[in-house]
Amino acid sequence: MRESTSSLKDKLVALAIIAVLFALPIVALLWMTAVPGASYAGPLPPLTPDEARLSARLRVHVTAIASVPHNVEHPIELERAARHIEQALAGMGYAVRAQPFAAGGEQVRNIEVVIDPASPGARTLVVGAHYDSAYGAPGANDNATGTAAVIELARNLADLRGKAAVRIRLVLFVNEEPPWFQTPLMGSYVYARRLKRSGEPVLGMWSLETLGWYSDAPHSQHYPWPLGMLYPETGNFVAFVGTTGSRGFVRNTTGAFRSAARFPSVGGTAPGFVQGIDWSDHWSFAGEGIPALMVTDTAPFRYPFYHTVQDTPDKVDYDRLARVVSGLERTIRAIR
């Protein structure tokens, strides 16, 4: 009888250990991916007149920046894209600041404008996007859509100059794409290191990355394993993504967007080794200990023309991009 009781206890202990081992990954996955609020569901509301005008302006920017490849291997076209950005921002009355550095035998630059806060001691929100394209791709969705979004956020938030609750740094980064990706000559890496060294208090960073492709078709959305078990299979949403070190920032931003925008959204975090989680300029800021996230249509997990010569301006859904940009604007305005 004693041997039988002992054997039963051993089996129960073993079963308990197995249950814990199975439960822990599930609990960890739910912890990483849980965000507040509910995603908008149902038909999208009609574009407002302001959103219709925004859609048209976004198209102009994407077409001007990304009808041809533009990167260090195509320096004339890269310079043309930079000048379009600078002229657009200067035309809004901003003092445009360049952050030049050398890469690949060329002089390249990050481009920045600042919306100063009401209080000089306010924290900073960086909203950025890279404006270079990959290889021989024109880069309309990746990432002229993000670039155009930053430009139009600068326009729509201009009334906050000297009044904002936070300092808003709107930055267009060069050299996000290979061969510079996650190297010291990545534009956002250069920028994030200088910002960190300045001692300026930073609330966090948004990287606007590949924002213009949406589909209502079933099975149009894919994920790295195991995220597909938790997220929608229809690619009609915008995603707020970060590494686990930025979990609080991702949660707060996703919840705020859901309160402000009538557009489907998901949010969550994962370790950096999960495919795609740190594939943008937020990587540079997270590496400096600054909370950071990527706002994206999920790029290669949805967009069939990612990093190809077919990534052209006609592929972009400008109306849904305008809805996302309007939602981001309202989210920024709600920061206190």
Side-chain angles (χ1 to χ4, degrees), residues 61-238:
H61 295 310
V62 170
T63 302
I65 292 166
S67 291
V68 294
H70 51 288
N71 47 49
V72 171
E73 296 302 314
H74 301 84
I76 295 173
E77 293 79 6
L78 182 64
E79 176 65 19
R80 185 181 298 119
R83 289 186 179 179
H84 173 86
I85 294 164
E86 291 168 335
Q87 290 168 4
L89 294 170
M92 301 170 195
Y94 284 100
V96 181
R97 306 171 184 176
Q99 186 184 60
F101 59 98
E106 300 289 340
Q107 279 293 119
V108 296
R109 62 188 179 279
N110 297 323
I111 301 165
E112 176 189 50
V113 296
V114 181
I115 296 174
D116 288 318
S119 169
R123 294 178 298 171
T124 291
L125 174 68
V126 179
V127 181
H130 73 89
Y131 67 92
D132 59 313
S133 69
Y135 312 113
N141 195 24
D142 180 18
N143 186 38
T145 54
T147 300
V150 172
I151 294 170
E152 288 304 312
L153 284 171
R155 182 191 309 278
N156 291 348
L157 294 169
D159 64 294
L160 293 182
R161 285 180 279 197
K163 304 174 185 177
V166 293
R167 179 178 295 100
I168 305 167
R169 294 190 175 274
L170 298 151
V171 194
L172 289 314
F173 303 112
V174 73
N175 282 14
E176 189 268 356
E177 299 288 4
W180 316 109
F181 181 62
Q182 295 188 354
T183 75
L185 291 179
M186 186 177 179
S188 57
Y189 182 95
V190 173
Y191 184 93
R193 291 196 73 192
R194 292 186 188 179
L195 180 61
K196 183 68 173 181
R197 289 175 178 177
S198 74
E200 185 171 300
V202 182
L203 169 66
M205 185 269 180
W206 295 356
S207 174
L208 309 189
E209 174 69 62
T210 312
L211 280 172
W213 179 267
Y214 301 91
S215 174
D216 296 313
H219 311 295
S220 54
Q221 182 65 51
H222 307 282
Y223 304 90
W225 188 88
L227 300 181
M229 296 187 294
L230 297 174
Y231 291 114
E233 65 174 18
T234 301
N236 63 352
F237 59 83
V238 66

Side-chain angles (χ1 to χ4, degrees), residues 225-281:
W225 188 88
L227 300 181
M229 296 187 294
L230 297 174
Y231 291 114
E233 65 174 18
T234 301
N236 63 352
F237 59 83
V238 66
F240 295 81
V241 178
T243 54
T244 51
S246 296
R247 177 176 178 268
F249 186 61
V250 172
R251 283 176 53 82
N252 291 340
T253 305
T254 307
F257 180 85
R258 288 177 166 183
S259 296
R262 299 178 69 187
F263 195 87
S265 62
V266 306
T269 61
F273 61 76
V274 174
Q275 185 184 23
I277 291 296
D278 62 359
W279 285 4
S280 191
D281 293 299

